[in-house]
Amino acid sequence: GLFKVFTWVETFGPTILITVYGIMSVQADTKISYVIGLMIILAVAIMYAINKTRIFVEFKRNSAVVIIYVLAICFYIAVTACVCICRHLSYRSGTNGFEIIIQMFHGFKTNLKLGTTLDMKSVASYFMTDFSPIYYLFLPMYCVFPYPVTLLVMQVITVASGIVPVYFLCKKFNLSKSATVAFAIVYALYPALACGCYTDLHVSCFYVPLLLWLLYFIEKDDLKMIIAMSVLTLMVREDAVVYLASIGL
């Protein structure tokens, strides 16, 4: 009843408040010491929530775990996307590459060419700067909603989708339902995954879900999917081979 509601507020309230405060404040202070301090405080709050959860929550059904994962995804997308949209609409987007990507997507929508004039003296392919054909995955949605915020929201959704392989990895290692839920909470509240979306659009957002899926299929020993995830990862950027080599080693 009401007591259980207060218990949930006491348990998860500090974690949620610290996360929201961190999301809002990290844009103004990006010093590494501040970020590390914020992450330490958040880690303490998460550990407190996990320990309290063990006391009064026992997940007996997989459906409850799935529901929490869905809520975690929705929470991450809602908070992060709102901050990204408000940041862009308030003219706080940077001029260190986002305008080039916007022009690239607009060019493809109008003449099927990924050309840009902002990075070169003449019209040139974006791939002369970075080889990132993975961006083609965003094009269908951009053609339907041709706005810069569409790209920002798609980036948030891409990062949020990484929670799906996290769930399957937990099942693969036969973790308890409480531990599986804890990973969902940590993923949704981890500042580094959200703050990366607050500096406009970056192709590195694809690394999070692709590498997690790759690790899952490695544990599952599914050669075809390992190859597929490796190829997709190589399409992110030319330095993706470093990540694959690190995993291989």
Side-chain angles (χ1 to χ4, degrees), residues 5-72:
V5 173
F6 282 121
T7 306
W8 276 91
V9 172
E10 176 196 357
T11 302
F12 298 105
T15 302
I16 295 174
L17 290 176
I18 293 171
T19 300
V20 173
Y21 174 79
I23 289 173
M24 299 301 179
S25 63
V26 78
Q27 299 182 66
D29 191 344
T30 57
K31 294 180 181 179
I32 186 64
S33 57
Y34 177 78
V35 176
I36 292 176
L38 187 65
M39 292 174 63
I40 292 174
I41 296 174
L42 180 60
V44 172
I46 291 175
M47 290 302 300
Y48 171 78
I50 292 174
N51 289 331
K52 290 282 291 185
T53 302
R54 288 176 180 173
I55 294 175
F56 69 91
V57 175
E58 292 184 3
F59 296 96
K60 298 180 180 180
R61 296 182 179 180
N62 286 327
S63 59
V65 177
V66 173
I67 290 174
I68 291 177
Y69 266 75
V70 172
L71 292 176

Side-chain angles (χ1 to χ4, degrees), residues 3-207:
F3 174 76
K4 195 169 185 179
V5 173
F6 282 121
T7 306
W8 276 91
V9 172
E10 176 196 357
T11 302
F12 298 105
T15 302
I16 295 174
L17 290 176
I18 293 171
T19 300
V20 173
Y21 174 79
I23 289 173
M24 299 301 179
S25 63
V26 78
Q27 299 182 66
D29 191 344
T30 57
K31 294 180 181 179
I32 186 64
S33 57
Y34 177 78
V35 176
I36 292 176
L38 187 65
M39 292 174 63
I40 292 174
I41 296 174
L42 180 60
V44 172
I46 291 175
M47 290 302 300
Y48 171 78
I50 292 174
N51 289 331
K52 290 282 291 185
T53 302
R54 288 176 180 173
I55 294 175
F56 69 91
V57 175
E58 292 184 3
F59 296 96
K60 298 180 180 180
R61 296 182 179 180
N62 286 327
S63 59
V65 177
V66 173
I67 290 174
I68 291 177
Y69 266 75
V70 172
L71 292 176
I73 292 176
C74 293
F75 173 83
Y76 176 87
I77 293 176
V79 174
T80 310
C82 284
V83 174
C84 290
I85 293 173
C86 292
R87 179 178 179 274
H88 178 74
L89 295 181
S90 60
Y91 302 100
R92 297 186 64 185
S93 293
T95 56
N96 58 348
F98 189 39
E99 72 284 357
I100 298 175
I101 297 175
I102 294 173
Q103 188 185 38
M104 175 191 71
F105 276 92
H106 178 74
F108 185 88
K109 179 178 180 294
T110 55
N111 54 29
L112 300 181
K113 295 181 180 179
L114 295 178
T116 176
T117 59
L118 299 176
D119 209 24
M120 303 288 181
K121 293 183 178 180
S122 59
V123 179
S125 172
Y126 175 81
F127 293 157
M128 294 181 65
T129 303
D130 285 313
F131 181 73
S132 305
I134 197 75
Y135 270 137
Y136 280 108
L137 296 179
F138 282 1
L139 285 171
M141 186 60 67
Y142 182 81
C143 289
V144 178
F145 304 101
Y147 309 104
V149 293
T150 302
L151 302 176
L152 298 176
V153 173
M154 289 299 295
Q155 175 178 237
V156 173
I157 294 174
T158 299
V159 177
S161 67
I163 200 172
V164 179
V166 168
Y167 172 76
F168 286 111
L169 280 168
C170 291
K171 291 191 66 177
K172 178 64 179 178
F173 288 105
N174 295 320
L175 299 184
S176 65
K177 293 182 177 63
S178 296
T180 303
V181 168
F183 273 102
I185 296 173
V186 170
Y187 189 98
L189 300 181
Y190 188 47
L193 292 176
C195 295
C197 298
Y198 299 153
T199 53
D200 304 321
L201 183 64
H202 298 282
V203 72
S204 55
C205 69
F206 288 97
Y207 281 133

Side-chain angles (χ1 to χ4, degrees), residues 216-235:
Y216 169 70
F217 289 120
I218 289 175
E219 294 297 330
K220 196 177 178 182
D221 199 20
D222 189 333
L223 182 59
K224 291 182 179 180
M225 292 306 299
I226 290 174
I227 295 174
M229 292 300 108
S230 298
V231 171
L232 287 174
T233 302
L234 290 172
M235 293 172 63

